[in-house]
Amino acid sequence: MVVVVLVVVVLVVVVLVVLVAVVLVVEDVDVGGLDVAAVTVVGAIDDCDGVVAVSAADRSAQAEVIRSPQVIRTIDRALTPPTIRSVVGRVPALASTAMSWELSEDHELLRATVREFAEQQIAPHAAEWDRTCHFPIDVVQAMGDLGLFGIVFPERWGGGGGDFASLCVAIEELGRVDQSMGITLSAGVGLGANPIFRFGTDDQRDQWLPDLVAGRTLGAFGLTEPDGGSDAGATRTRAVLDGDEWVLNGSKAFITNCGTDITSIVTVTARTDDGISAFVVPAGTPGMIIEPAYDKLGWHASDTHGITFVECRIPAEHLLGAPGKGFRNFLSILDDGRIAISALALGSARACLDASVEYAKQRDAFGGPIGRFQGLAFQLSDLAVQVENAHNLTYKAAWLKDQGRPIGQAAAMAKLYSTEAAMDAARLATQVFGGMGFMEETPIVRFYRDAKILEVGEGTSEIQRLVIARNLGLPVE
C-alpha cells in the first residue's frame, strides 16, 4: 500500500514538473524576434501567402501548443501594439494572424475622435455648405488642429508619425458625414503634401511641409490636363529652363484645393527636354491663373478649379525630384490616393447602409416596418456584404503599404470595388427612402450626387480594371 502511494506521489510530481517546464518554455517565446522556440511552434512560414508549413508528424503537436492560452496571449501582445506601424519590420508574418489587417484599439480610438469631430463640427453644416458651395476654411484648419493632415508624416515636420491605415480611418469617418471634407483631407495629404515629402529636397520639405502638415495651408496636385483625361502621359504643358528659372506654359484640369485662400503650392507636371518633370509652383506666382470654380454635380464644398500657365516663371530650384522623373513619381502618388479614395467611398457606403437600415426599421407601410419585407431586407443584406468587403479591401491595401509591400494591384482592387459599392449604396438608399430620398432635406441626396465622382477621380473604374488585368498577365490594351 505504501509503495502504491509513493508511486502515485512520484507520478504527480513528474506531471507537475513537466507542466511547469512547458509553461516556462511557452512564456519564453519572443514573438517580436521570432526566436528558435517560436519557430518550433509555428513552423516554416511562406512569406508569399502566410501559409504555415509544418511536417505531418509535427502538425498535431504544434496545433496543441499554438492553441494554448499562453501562446495566444503572447502573440496577441506582440500583434496589438499602439500602432500598426510599430510592428513593421519587427514581427515576421505569423500565418493568418500576422497577415490580418484588423484595426487596433488605437485605430478605433482615432475613429471615435474623428467621428465625434465630424458629427459636431461638420454634420450640422454640411447641407448648407453643399447648397451654397461654401469651402469652410475654419473647419479645415480645425481638422489641422486635430492633427489629421499630419497623421502619416514624421515628427520632424510636425506630423504624428502614424501609419497609412490611420489616415484611411480619418478619411472614412469624415466621408461618412460629408464627402467634400473627406476629399479635402485626402487630397491635402496625398496630393498636396505627399509629393513634397516623397520627392522634395530637404530645403523644399523644410519650406513647405510644416504648414501643410499642420493644416494651416493646402497643396494641390496638377497632373490631369483638359485633353488628357485618363491618358496622364499625354502632357502638353511645357517647362523651359531660361537661365536660373523655369518657364511654364499650358493648362491643368479638375485640380482639387488649388483655389482656396489657404492654398500655398501646386505641384505640376510639365514636359521638358528630359521627359515629363515635376515642379513646385507657389500660390500667387505671376502667370499661374486659377480659373473659376467648376459647377459640379457633387462635392460642392470641395474646392476644384482649372489652372492655366502663361509664361509662369519659377526658380530653377523648384524642380521637384529628378529631371524627367515627374510622371513616374506622380503615378506612384496615385497608388496611395486610390487607397484613400477607397476609404472615402467606404465612408459613403457605410453611411448609406446605416441610414437605410434605420429608416427600414422606422418607416411603416402596409401595417408594419418596411424592413420586414424580404425584397428590401435582402437588398440591404447584400449591401452589408459589399460594405464589409470594401472595408477588408481598403484596409488590406493600407496594411500592405504600411508593410512596405507592393500596393498597385491591391489599391486598384480596393478603389474599384469600394467606389462601385458606394454608388450601389447611394442608389439603394434612395430607393429605400422613396420620395424622401429625392428631397434635399435628407443627406441621401447629397451622398447620391457625391458618389459618382468616386468612380472617376484618381483613375476611372475602367483604368482600375486595366491595371488589374495587366497584373493578371493579360495582354489587354
Side-chain angles (χ1 to χ4, degrees):
M1 184 66 179
V2 174
V3 173
V4 173
V5 171
L6 287 176
V7 170
V8 171
V9 170
V10 170
L11 288 175
V12 170
V13 170
V14 170
V15 170
L16 289 175
V17 170
V18 171
L19 289 175
V20 170
V22 170
V23 170
L24 289 175
V25 169
V26 170
E27 291 291 4
D28 189 50
V29 171
D30 178 8
V31 180
L34 198 64
D35 63 14
V36 176
V39 173
T40 302
V41 172
V42 299
I45 296 175
D46 181 348
D47 286 336
C48 294
D49 57 13
V51 175
V52 178
V54 297
S55 67
D58 294 337
R59 186 174 294 113
S60 177
Q62 291 183 6
E64 290 301 319
V65 177
I66 290 173
R67 285 196 293 268
S68 70
Q70 291 89 349
V71 169
I72 292 173
R73 286 198 301 270
T74 304
I75 293 176
D76 281 348
R77 286 198 298 270
L79 294 178
T80 53
T83 62
I84 289 176
R85 185 176 179 179
S86 64
V87 182
V88 177
R90 186 173 67 84
V91 181
L94 293 180
S96 60
T97 304
M99 291 292 287
S100 171
W101 35 92
E102 181 178 357
L103 298 177
S104 69
E105 292 181 4
D106 290 289
H107 289 117
E108 296 304 334
L109 178 60
L110 172 64
R111 181 186 300 281
T113 301
V114 178
R115 178 171 294 192
E116 181 180 12
F117 173 87
E119 290 180 345
Q120 292 181 359
Q121 304 297 323
I122 298 176
H125 313 289
E128 180 64 15
W129 296 339
D130 178 79
R131 187 181 66 81
T132 60
C133 299
H134 173 67
F135 182 78
I137 290 177
D138 56 336
V139 173
V140 172
Q141 293 187 320
M143 289 159 52
D145 293 339
L146 195 62
L148 302 187
F149 287 94
I151 287 175
V152 297
F153 297 108
E155 294 179 4
R156 171 179 172 180
W157 294 287
D163 58 11
F164 194 75
S166 296
L167 176 63
C168 289
V169 168
I171 292 171
E172 178 191 343
E173 285 302 318
L174 291 179
R176 176 179 165 273
V177 170
D178 181 43
Q179 289 279 290
S180 289
M181 291 299 96
I183 189 57
T184 298
L185 175 63
S186 175
V189 174
L191 303 182
N194 199 30
I196 302 295
F197 173 66
R198 290 269 303 275
F199 310 117
T201 64
D202 284 341
D203 286 343
Q204 289 171 335
R205 291 169 179 163
D206 290 340
Q207 181 177 2
W208 304 111
L209 277 183
D211 285 341
L212 293 170
V213 166
R216 290 187 292 268
T217 62
L218 292 172
F221 180 86
L223 175 63
T224 303
E225 298 197 350
D227 296 328
S230 293
D231 186 5
T235 301
R236 295 187 179 182
T237 299
R238 291 199 59 84
V240 177
L241 187 61
D242 182 18
D244 59 355
E245 292 182 321
W246 287 98
V247 184
L248 278 66
N249 285 280
S251 59
K252 300 292 180 179
F254 316 128
I255 311 303
T256 302
N257 292 342
C258 70
T260 77
D261 290 342
I262 58 173
T263 300
S264 61
I265 58 167
V266 181
T267 57
V268 301
T269 52
R271 196 169 293 279
T272 64
D273 292 341
D274 298 300
I276 298 177
S277 302
F279 303 88
V280 182
V281 184
T285 299
M288 181 171 71
I289 303 168
I290 306 299
E291 303 293 347
Y294 290 108
D295 186 9
K296 298 172 294 186
L297 170 67
W299 284 1
H300 287 170
S302 168
D303 179 81
T304 319
H305 302 257
I307 304 176
T308 301
F309 298 96
V310 180
E311 295 295 304
C312 179
R313 291 179 172 268
I314 57 175
E317 58 267 24
H318 281 196
L319 177 71
L320 182 63
K325 303 300 183 183
F327 180 60
R328 182 193 66 182
N329 290 345
F330 271 36
L331 288 185
S332 71
I333 291 291
L334 291 180
D335 281 340
D336 293 0
R338 286 167 181 167
I339 303 174
I341 292 295
S342 181
L344 183 63
L346 174 60
S348 177
R350 197 181 297 281
C352 289
L353 174 62
D354 291 347
S356 297
V357 168
E358 188 63 27
Y359 190 79
K361 293 176 181 178
Q362 296 179 358
R363 173 74 168 95
D364 282 342
F366 304 102
I370 61 175
R372 76 188 192 280
F373 296 119
Q374 291 184 0
L376 176 58
F378 288 180
Q379 291 185 75
L380 291 175
S381 298
D382 289 341
L383 179 56
V385 175
Q386 286 184 275
V387 170
E388 183 68 15
N389 288 339
H391 172 95
N392 290 333
L393 285 167
T394 299
Y395 288 103
K396 177 186 176 181
W399 179 85
L400 288 172
K401 176 174 171 57
D402 287 326
Q403 295 290 315
R405 299 188 182 188
I407 61 172
Q409 182 80 328
M413 287 181 171
K415 184 188 183 295
L416 173 63
Y417 189 90
S418 299
T419 57
E420 294 193 348
M423 195 67 228
D424 290 344
R427 187 183 304 110
L428 177 57
T430 303
Q431 200 71 15
V432 171
F433 274 73
M436 290 304 299
F438 199 65
M439 301 295 112
E440 288 286 348
E441 63 189 89
T442 65
I444 298 303
V445 175
R446 179 160 42 88
F447 281 113
Y448 192 98
R449 286 190 278 100
D450 288 343
K452 184 57 195 174
I453 187 60
L454 297 169
E455 297 180 313
V456 177
E458 301 276 1
T460 63
S461 291
E462 291 74 21
I463 290 296
Q464 306 316 310
R465 288 184 167 90
L466 182 65
V467 170
I468 294 167
R470 286 176 175 171
N471 276 297
L472 293 174
L474 297 171
V476 63
E477 295 182 357

